[in-house]
C-alpha cells in the first residue's frame, strides 16, 4: 500500500493538507478535491475528531479515488489511532522523539510514512529511519533552489515541500526535484469547508493542478 501512495503522489504531483477548525463532511471534501485532480488528502491532528473523520472517508470512498492520511502525527499512539481509523499514510511536521516508532507502526500497517525535515542532516536522519518520503517544512524559508541543492547528495530521496507553496511557485519546486508539492489554504480555505463550498474547492484544486504543468 505504501508504494501505491507514493505512486499516486508522483502521478498527481500534489497533495492537500487540510487545516480547519471543523470538517462536517470529510467525504464530500475528498470528492471535491479528487474532482479537481488531487486525490491525496492529509487531514491533521489539529482538527478535532481526526480519527472519526478518517474512518468516515476510509469507510465510504474508493481507495483509489481518494487516498486519505493523517498529518501532524507526533507520537506512536497517534500513529496507531490514525491507522486503525483507516489512514493510508502518516505525516510528521518534523522529527519527533518517537519518529522511529511512527515509521514502524506505519509500515506494519502497510501505510506510507512521510517524515518532516529541513536541514540536510534531518533529511539523512529521516531516510535512515525508513521514511518513504521526506517533507521539507517550512518550504517558504528555503525556496525551490534548496531542493536542487538537496538533490546533489540525496538524488534518490522523495522530497515534498510544504508551507508556502502556491500556484506561483509550485512548478518551480517540481522542476527543482520535488516529487510532489503540498497545497494548503490556496486550495482549501477553512471558510469554504465551513460553508460546504465544494465546487469552489474543486475549482481551486483544478487551478492548482494546472499551475504544475
Amino acid at each position: 500500500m505504501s508504494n501505491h501512495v507514493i505512486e499516486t503522489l508522483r502521478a498527481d504531483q500534489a497533495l492537500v493538507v487540510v487545516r480547519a477548525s471543523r470538517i462536517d463532511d470529510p467525504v464530500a471534501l475528498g470528492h471535491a478535491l479528487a474532482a479537481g485532480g488531487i486525490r491525496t488528502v492529509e487531514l491533521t491532528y489539529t482538527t478535532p475528531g481526526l480519527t472519526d473523520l478518517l474512518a468516515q472517508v476510509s469507510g465510504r470512498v474508493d481507495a483509489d479515488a481518494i487516498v486519505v492520511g493523517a498529518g501532524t502525527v507526533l507520537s506512536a499512539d497517534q500513529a496507531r489511532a490514525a491507522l486503525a481509523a483507516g489512514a493510508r499514510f502518516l505525516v510528521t511536521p518534523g522529527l519527533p522523539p518517537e519518529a522511529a516508532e511512527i515509521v514502524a507502526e506505519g509500515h506494519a500497517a502497510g501505510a506510507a510514512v512521510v517524515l518532516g525535515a529541513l536541514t540536510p542532516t534531518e533529511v539523512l536522519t529521516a531516510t535512515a529511519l525508513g521514511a518513504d518520503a521526506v517533507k521539507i517544512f517550512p518550504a517558504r524559508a528555503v525556496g525551490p533552489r534548496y531542493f536542487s541543492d538537496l538533490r546533489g547528495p540525496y538524488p534518490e530521496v522523495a522530497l515534498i515541500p510544504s508551507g508556502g507553496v502556491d500556484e506561483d511557485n509550485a512548478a518551480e519546486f517540481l522542476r527543482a526535484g520535488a516529487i510532489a508539492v503540498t497545497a494548503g489554504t490556496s486550495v482549501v480555505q477553512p471558510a469554504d469547508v465551513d460553508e460546504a463550498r465544494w465546487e469552489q474547492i474543486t475549482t481551486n484544486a483544478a487551478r492548482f493542478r494546472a499551475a504544475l504543468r
Side-chain angles (χ1 to χ4, degrees), residues 18-77:
V18 180
R19 294 197 182 277
S21 58
R22 76 174 200 273
I23 303 174
D24 294 332
D25 193 342
V27 174
L29 172 60
H31 283 307
L33 289 166
I38 303 178
R39 293 174 289 170
T40 307
V41 184
E42 176 188 335
L43 304 179
T44 73
Y45 266 107
T46 57
T47 299
L50 173 66
T51 54
D52 179 59
L53 299 174
L54 291 169
Q56 288 184 56
V57 178
S58 63
R60 293 169 53 193
V61 303
D62 186 305
D64 289 326
I66 301 171
V67 181
V68 65
T72 320
V73 178
L74 299 176
S75 70
D77 283 344

Side-chain angles (χ1 to χ4, degrees), residues 127-151:
T127 55
L129 289 171
D132 298 286
V134 179
K135 179 179 79 170
I136 301 300
F137 174 82
R140 67 163 54 89
V142 291
R145 186 169 181 176
Y146 184 65
F147 284 72
S148 297
D149 294 337
L150 286 177
R151 295 241 60 82

Side-chain angles (χ1 to χ4, degrees), residues 91-96 114-118 122-123 126 131 133-137:
V91 183
T92 69
L95 291 173
V114 182
L115 295 180
L118 182 61
E122 290 171 345
V123 172
V134 179
K135 179 179 79 170
I136 301 300
F137 174 82

Side-chain angles (χ1 to χ4, degrees), residues 123-203:
V123 172
L124 180 61
T125 300
T127 55
L129 289 171
D132 298 286
V134 179
K135 179 179 79 170
I136 301 300
F137 174 82
R140 67 163 54 89
V142 291
R145 186 169 181 176
Y146 184 65
F147 284 72
S148 297
D149 294 337
L150 286 177
R151 295 241 60 82
Y154 305 126
E156 303 302 321
V157 177
L159 300 173
I160 303 172
S162 180
V165 181
D166 55 30
E167 295 169 29
D168 294 330
N169 62 18
E172 293 181 62
F173 282 105
L174 294 173
R175 287 193 292 268
I179 67 160
V181 293
T182 303
T185 54
S186 62
V187 172
V188 180
Q189 289 280 350
D192 289 336
V193 177
D194 290 344
E195 299 299 323
R197 293 194 284 259
W198 310 129
E199 290 185 4
Q200 182 60 57
I201 289 173
T202 295
T203 297

